[in-house]
Amino acid sequence: MYANPVAYVFSCVFVLLAHSAMLCNIWFNGSYGEPRDIAVLGAAVIILDIIYFVVILFFKQMSYVLDFLLILILNMSVIFQSCFDRTFDTKHYITCIVCLAAAKGAYLVCRNHKFLQDKKLYIYGAIGVVLLIVLIFTSAENMWIEIGSFTLQPSEFVKPLFVLACATSIADQQKKHKILFFNVVYENLAIFGIMAAICLVQVKSHDYGSLPTFIGIYGIGFILRICYPKAKFSKKKLFAVIAIIVVCLLIGLKYAPEYVQHRLHVDIWSDKTGDGYQQSQALIAIANGGWFGVGPGKGFLSNIFAYDNDIVFATVSEEWGLLYALMMVLTIIIITSVPLINPARSYYHGTMSACVCAAFIVQMALNIFGSCNLIPFTGVTIPFISSGGSSLLVSGLMTGMLMAGQSPVFKEHKDNNKKKQEKPEPAWRWQE
């Protein structure tokens, strides 16, 4: 049962009011079609809200803040995506339900850090299998695997597995071994090898846009591995690793494919019909939308390729206004901030949560800054908002990890159980 009934009711009312306000905006300012279509969208959103409010009561957690934020942002995305095409987006709605289920599943699996630590080799193996699938079944021209009417992007599923691989405990970091002149942890070497393998596979698949996300996960995991409380680490070793990373980045930029080099130096305004088309149209749409937008379903950007995923920030800004777009971004930032404001109960969960937050922030920044021409356009999705089954499913899994970090489970030691079972001596015997 929810620990604070007042906070629970207030959170439910807040989410319902937020979604109701968006639906009213569609009714008065939108171009959605028949009133019946708006009623279908509104009923689907409100019903999913209420069902999820009831479902979370069956999960014993220390905090439910992330649950309310998750249902808030997911139903916001359902409303956005449905307005882009002026019809209820059934596929995206079902994917959001799957995302919610994935979040609770990941929450249950990741609560016990000892269980995950014991399965470390299986996690490494799973990463290897997914990378092998990427190499065999995808190509630079098509990074998706088609299964009937659904498509999967296997590289997305490397992210949660890599987060679990990067997560560590203080006890693990104390298992050092002497190699030449350095004291190293074998697990850290394994993570470095996995990161190198991911980079090679991503480069071979020409999926350069996802590389910064993996680098962000590895960077945060590496820092928390060598900077655990009261650790003694070599500054020379840290500087050496940073130097290696910088050299690798410089080599990558120098020998990047021609189309990547072109994106780094393209002037979108002089090439508005070529490589700069999406970004130039995105900037025009953001300016056209202003603070309050032209109205849901009234935007021009919905006619541009990848309007619902790669440049979704600009599409939301045009139809709903920059104010709504910033509220959307703020909600995602709060989702990543909650696990950092409320410290995790174990170092393993803390590392896991920090890596997930790094992935979300980097991924969102790449999409927004790329759409606004502040960095080269990468075509990376915004978590929770962009359409795409793989992206939403993985976002749900990683949000479940954040929930687990706030409500972990620890197994009691057998000796402690025995002590609890032993009956205390009567007080009169001590008085004797």
Side-chain angles (χ1 to χ4, degrees):
M1 183 60 66
Y2 199 81
N4 191 337
V6 176
Y8 170 80
V9 173
F10 174 80
S11 300
C12 292
V13 172
F14 175 80
V15 172
L16 289 171
L17 286 176
H19 292 152
S20 298
M22 295 181 69
L23 293 169
C24 289
N25 188 24
I26 298 173
W27 179 270
F28 292 106
N29 302 318
S31 175
Y32 196 77
E34 298 295 328
R36 176 180 174 278
D37 298 330
I38 302 177
V40 170
L41 173 62
V45 169
I46 300 302
I47 289 173
L48 183 57
D49 282 344
I50 295 173
I51 290 176
Y52 193 68
F53 295 156
V54 174
V55 168
I56 62 175
L57 294 176
F58 293 91
F59 291 83
K60 186 179 181 181
Q61 298 175 213
M62 297 178 183
S63 172
Y64 292 84
V65 175
L66 288 172
D67 287 281
F68 287 108
L69 290 171
L70 181 60
I71 188 64
L72 173 65
I73 194 69
L74 284 180
N75 266 337
M76 284 175 66
S77 73
V78 170
I79 295 173
F80 288 147
Q81 295 290 342
S82 296
C83 288
F84 295 157
D85 292 328
R86 302 177 184 85
T87 182
F88 180 58
D89 195 334
T90 306
K91 185 177 180 180
H92 187 75
Y93 184 73
I94 294 173
T95 308
C96 287
I97 295 175
V98 174
C99 175
L100 292 170
K104 304 315 293 183
Y107 160 75
L108 294 174
V109 172
C110 296
R111 292 181 70 194
N112 186 349
H113 69 287
K114 290 296 294 180
F115 170 79
L116 294 173
Q117 286 175 308
D118 294 339
K119 301 295 185 292
K120 206 80 168 186
L121 292 178
Y122 294 101
I123 294 172
Y124 295 163
I127 294 174
V129 170
V130 176
L131 291 178
L132 195 61
I133 291 173
V134 173
L135 286 174
I136 296 174
F137 295 101
T138 65
S139 63
E141 293 75 23
N142 186 9
M143 294 181 292
W144 288 266
I145 298 175
E146 296 183 4
I147 304 175
S149 59
F150 292 91
T151 58
L152 290 176
Q153 187 176 357
S155 59
E156 283 287 322
F157 295 92
V158 179
K159 294 176 185 176
L161 291 172
F162 191 48
V163 167
L164 293 177
C166 287
T168 187
S169 66
I170 296 176
D172 290 336
Q173 293 306 302
Q174 293 173 343
K175 301 174 183 177
K176 296 184 177 181
H177 305 272
K178 190 80 171 180
I179 297 180
L180 297 178
F181 303 102
F182 299 99
N183 291 321
V184 299
V185 178
Y186 289 156
E187 191 178 275
N188 294 350
L189 294 179
I191 299 302
F192 181 80
I194 292 173
M195 182 63 207
I198 291 173
C199 289
L200 291 174
V201 172
Q202 294 295 100
V203 169
K204 187 179 183 303
S205 303
H206 290 186
D207 187 11
Y208 294 91
S210 298
L211 269 180
T213 304
F214 288 108
I215 293 173
I217 295 172
Y218 176 75
I220 293 297
F222 174 77
I223 291 172
L224 292 177
R225 279 174 172 271
I226 66 172
C227 297
Y228 63 91
K230 298 182 180 180
K232 294 181 179 180
F233 64 94
S234 172
K235 293 181 179 179
K236 294 181 180 179
K237 188 189 301 182
L238 177 61
F239 291 143
V241 172
I242 294 175
I244 292 172
I245 293 174
V246 171
V247 169
C248 291
L249 288 175
L250 292 175
I251 293 174
L253 291 174
K254 182 175 178 59
Y255 295 100
E258 184 178 349
Y259 77 93
V260 176
Q261 297 283 0
H262 182 65
R263 283 188 178 182
L264 292 172
H265 305 96
V266 66
D267 181 3
I268 64 171
W269 300 113
S270 63
D271 191 17
K272 289 190 292 185
T273 58
D275 290 339
Y277 180 68
Q278 280 181 300
Q279 285 173 294
S280 61
Q281 293 300 319
L283 287 174
I284 293 171
I286 293 172
N288 188 38
W291 282 107
F292 303 103
V294 297
K298 296 180 179 179
F300 168 77
L301 210 59
S302 57
N303 300 310
I304 306 299
F305 176 73
Y307 67 90
D308 57 348
N309 43 56
D310 294 350
I311 55 173
V312 69
F313 176 80
T315 312
V316 172
S317 298
E318 181 188 26
E319 296 193 359
W320 292 81
L322 191 59
L323 185 62
Y324 260 106
L326 292 178
M327 289 172 59
M328 171 190 76
V329 172
L330 181 62
T331 304
I332 298 175
I333 291 176
I334 294 174
I335 289 175
T336 61
S337 301
V338 168
L340 304 180
I341 296 173
N342 301 321
R345 271 66 176 182
S346 74
Y347 199 77
Y348 183 95
H349 287 106
T351 312
M352 180 178 67
S353 298
C355 290
V356 170
C357 293
F360 283 158
I361 293 298
V362 170
Q363 196 169 326
M364 182 172 65
L366 288 172
N367 183 288
I368 296 173
F369 295 155
S371 299
C372 298
N373 197 35
L374 297 175
I375 60 173
F377 188 65
T378 57
V380 175
T381 59
I382 294 183
F384 311 109
I385 299 298
S386 298
S387 66
S390 302
S391 177
L392 266 175
L393 176 58
V394 168
S395 296
L397 291 172
M398 293 200 292
T399 306
M401 295 178 183
L402 296 180
M403 295 175 185
Q406 298 295 293
S407 303
V409 166
F410 302 101
K411 285 187 176 181
E412 295 182 351
H413 196 273
K414 293 181 180 179
D415 293 339
N416 292 337
N417 290 334
K418 289 181 179 179
K419 289 180 180 179
K420 287 184 178 181
Q421 292 175 359
E422 292 177 359
K423 294 182 180 180
E425 293 287 342
W428 59 270
R429 289 190 180 179
W430 291 100
Q431 294 174 358
E432 290 179 353

